[in-house]
Each structure stands twice: as structure tokens, then as C-alpha cells.
Amino acid sequence: VSVVDVNNAPISGADVTLSRTGFTDSETASPCGQVFFNSGLAVQSDYQVEVTAGGYIDNTLTNVSVDGTNTLTVIMIEL
């Protein structure tokens, strides 16, 4: 997951939660605005991604597909 603002600048320290029935994992974005989820993932299309960051509106995406090869970019909007 890549977390950026509307100018495509990375958002360091954003909290990202990836979940689906029976699975939840949370990570904090690196200085590059990136989060990697490595364990317990199944190839499915029913994940939910929740992103929170200070100074930004919380963003939740549903029906996210995870296949191990794609990067999801989440654009955050300032408060």
C-alpha cells in the first residue's frame, strides 16, 4: 500500500489496516509512505483497507483485491 496526498507526496507514519473475515493486520507507513503486508494473506478480492493519518480525513476502501503483485495507492485528503 502506498499512502500519498493529493500532490502525490508520500505520507509517513500513516496507520494502515488490512482486514477480511478471519484476518487483520496493521502496519505504519515508512518515510516513503509505503506499507508491506507479508504474512497470512490469501489471494482474495474482499479485503478492506483503512488508512488514518494525522491532519487527513480517514479513508476506507472495500472489496480490495490482493494477489501479491499489485500496489494499492491510497490518496489522503487534508482536513
Side-chain angles (χ1 to χ4, degrees):
V1 177
S2 179
V3 183
V4 298
D5 65 15
V6 295
N7 297 312
N8 207 36
I11 299 175
S12 175
D15 293 315
V16 181
T17 301
L18 179 68
S19 61
R20 68 181 295 269
T21 302
F23 174 85
T24 300
D25 192 6
S26 296
E27 299 289 341
T28 301
S30 70
C32 299
Q34 295 182 336
V35 171
F36 297 94
F37 294 97
N38 296 321
S39 63
L41 298 177
V43 176
Q44 295 291 333
S45 60
D46 63 346
Y47 284 92
Q48 177 172 297
V49 176
E50 296 177 65
V51 182
T52 60
Y56 294 88
I57 298 170
D58 295 350
N59 196 343
T60 300
L61 292 85
T62 58
N63 297 319
V64 174
S65 293
V66 171
D67 65 10
T69 61
N70 293 332
T71 300
L72 174 67
T73 299
V74 178
I75 300 171
M76 302 294 285
I77 298 172
E78 289 186 80
L79 290 173

